[in-house]
Short mmCIF file of all heavy atoms in Angstrom, two decimals:
data_model
loop_
_atom_site.label_atom_id
_atom_site.label_comp_id
_atom_site.label_asym_id
_atom_site.label_seq_id
_atom_site.Cartn_x
_atom_site.Cartn_y
_atom_site.Cartn_z
N SER A 1138 15.32 7.37 -106.71
CA SER A 1138 14.52 8.38 -105.99
C SER A 1138 14.25 7.86 -104.59
O SER A 1138 14.31 6.66 -104.35
CB SER A 1138 13.22 8.64 -106.75
OG SER A 1138 12.44 7.45 -106.78
N PRO A 1139 13.93 8.75 -103.63
CA PRO A 1139 13.70 8.31 -102.25
C PRO A 1139 12.65 7.22 -102.13
O PRO A 1139 12.78 6.31 -101.34
CB PRO A 1139 13.27 9.59 -101.53
CG PRO A 1139 13.81 10.71 -102.36
CD PRO A 1139 13.84 10.19 -103.78
N GLU A 1140 11.60 7.30 -102.94
CA GLU A 1140 10.55 6.30 -102.82
C GLU A 1140 10.97 4.94 -103.37
O GLU A 1140 10.31 3.94 -103.13
CB GLU A 1140 9.24 6.77 -103.46
CG GLU A 1140 9.34 7.08 -104.94
CD GLU A 1140 9.70 8.52 -105.23
OE1 GLU A 1140 10.12 9.26 -104.33
OE2 GLU A 1140 9.60 8.92 -106.39
N HIS A 1141 12.10 4.88 -104.08
CA HIS A 1141 12.58 3.62 -104.62
C HIS A 1141 13.86 3.14 -103.94
O HIS A 1141 14.43 2.14 -104.33
CB HIS A 1141 12.81 3.73 -106.13
CG HIS A 1141 11.53 3.89 -106.88
ND1 HIS A 1141 11.06 5.12 -107.24
CD2 HIS A 1141 10.63 2.99 -107.30
CE1 HIS A 1141 9.90 4.97 -107.87
NE2 HIS A 1141 9.62 3.69 -107.93
N SER A 1142 14.33 3.86 -102.94
CA SER A 1142 15.57 3.45 -102.28
C SER A 1142 15.30 2.26 -101.36
O SER A 1142 14.18 2.05 -100.91
CB SER A 1142 16.17 4.60 -101.48
OG SER A 1142 15.30 4.98 -100.44
N ASP A 1143 16.33 1.50 -101.11
CA ASP A 1143 16.23 0.32 -100.26
C ASP A 1143 16.31 0.76 -98.80
O ASP A 1143 17.35 1.24 -98.36
CB ASP A 1143 17.35 -0.66 -100.58
CG ASP A 1143 17.31 -1.93 -99.76
OD1 ASP A 1143 16.38 -2.09 -98.93
OD2 ASP A 1143 18.20 -2.77 -99.95
N PRO A 1144 15.23 0.59 -98.02
CA PRO A 1144 15.25 1.04 -96.62
C PRO A 1144 16.27 0.27 -95.78
O PRO A 1144 16.72 0.74 -94.75
CB PRO A 1144 13.83 0.78 -96.12
CG PRO A 1144 13.27 -0.22 -97.06
CD PRO A 1144 13.98 -0.02 -98.38
N ARG A 1145 16.68 -0.90 -96.22
CA ARG A 1145 17.65 -1.70 -95.47
C ARG A 1145 19.06 -1.14 -95.61
O ARG A 1145 19.93 -1.45 -94.80
CB ARG A 1145 17.59 -3.14 -95.92
CG ARG A 1145 16.26 -3.79 -95.59
CD ARG A 1145 16.03 -5.08 -96.34
NE ARG A 1145 17.17 -5.96 -96.31
CZ ARG A 1145 17.15 -7.20 -95.87
NH1 ARG A 1145 16.04 -7.70 -95.42
NH2 ARG A 1145 18.23 -7.93 -95.90
N SER A 1146 19.30 -0.30 -96.61
CA SER A 1146 20.66 0.18 -96.84
C SER A 1146 21.14 1.12 -95.74
O SER A 1146 22.33 1.27 -95.55
CB SER A 1146 20.75 0.88 -98.20
OG SER A 1146 19.97 2.06 -98.20
N SER A 1147 20.24 1.76 -95.03
CA SER A 1147 20.66 2.70 -93.98
C SER A 1147 20.42 2.14 -92.58
O SER A 1147 20.51 2.87 -91.61
CB SER A 1147 19.94 4.03 -94.16
OG SER A 1147 18.55 3.84 -94.04
N ARG A 1148 20.15 0.87 -92.47
CA ARG A 1148 19.95 0.30 -91.15
C ARG A 1148 21.19 -0.50 -90.74
O ARG A 1148 21.95 -0.98 -91.57
CB ARG A 1148 18.70 -0.57 -91.08
CG ARG A 1148 18.83 -1.89 -91.75
CD ARG A 1148 17.55 -2.68 -91.64
NE ARG A 1148 17.81 -4.03 -92.09
CZ ARG A 1148 17.04 -5.04 -91.83
NH1 ARG A 1148 15.95 -4.87 -91.14
NH2 ARG A 1148 17.35 -6.23 -92.27
N ARG A 1149 21.36 -0.59 -89.44
CA ARG A 1149 22.52 -1.29 -88.89
C ARG A 1149 22.01 -2.33 -87.91
O ARG A 1149 21.25 -2.01 -87.00
CB ARG A 1149 23.42 -0.28 -88.18
CG ARG A 1149 24.61 -0.88 -87.53
CD ARG A 1149 25.50 0.25 -86.96
NE ARG A 1149 26.38 -0.32 -85.98
CZ ARG A 1149 26.41 0.01 -84.70
NH1 ARG A 1149 25.63 0.95 -84.24
NH2 ARG A 1149 27.24 -0.58 -83.88
N LEU A 1150 22.42 -3.58 -88.09
CA LEU A 1150 22.04 -4.64 -87.16
C LEU A 1150 22.94 -4.56 -85.94
O LEU A 1150 24.16 -4.43 -86.06
CB LEU A 1150 22.15 -6.00 -87.83
CG LEU A 1150 21.28 -6.20 -89.07
CD1 LEU A 1150 21.48 -7.60 -89.63
CD2 LEU A 1150 19.83 -5.93 -88.78
N LEU A 1151 22.35 -4.64 -84.76
CA LEU A 1151 23.10 -4.59 -83.51
C LEU A 1151 23.29 -6.01 -83.02
O LEU A 1151 22.33 -6.70 -82.71
CB LEU A 1151 22.35 -3.74 -82.48
CG LEU A 1151 22.05 -2.32 -82.94
CD1 LEU A 1151 21.15 -1.61 -81.93
CD2 LEU A 1151 23.32 -1.54 -83.18
N ARG A 1152 24.54 -6.42 -82.97
CA ARG A 1152 24.86 -7.79 -82.60
C ARG A 1152 26.00 -7.80 -81.59
O ARG A 1152 27.07 -8.32 -81.87
CB ARG A 1152 25.25 -8.59 -83.83
CG ARG A 1152 24.11 -8.74 -84.81
CD ARG A 1152 24.56 -9.48 -86.03
NE ARG A 1152 23.42 -9.72 -86.91
CZ ARG A 1152 23.52 -9.93 -88.20
NH1 ARG A 1152 24.69 -9.96 -88.78
NH2 ARG A 1152 22.44 -10.13 -88.92
#
Side-chain angles (χ1 to χ4, degrees):
S1138 63
E1140 60 270 13
H1141 292 96
S1142 64
D1143 181 1
R1145 295 165 46 124
S1146 66
S1147 62
R1148 75 180 190 162
R1149 178 175 161 242
L1150 300 180
L1151 303 173
R1152 296 178 175 156

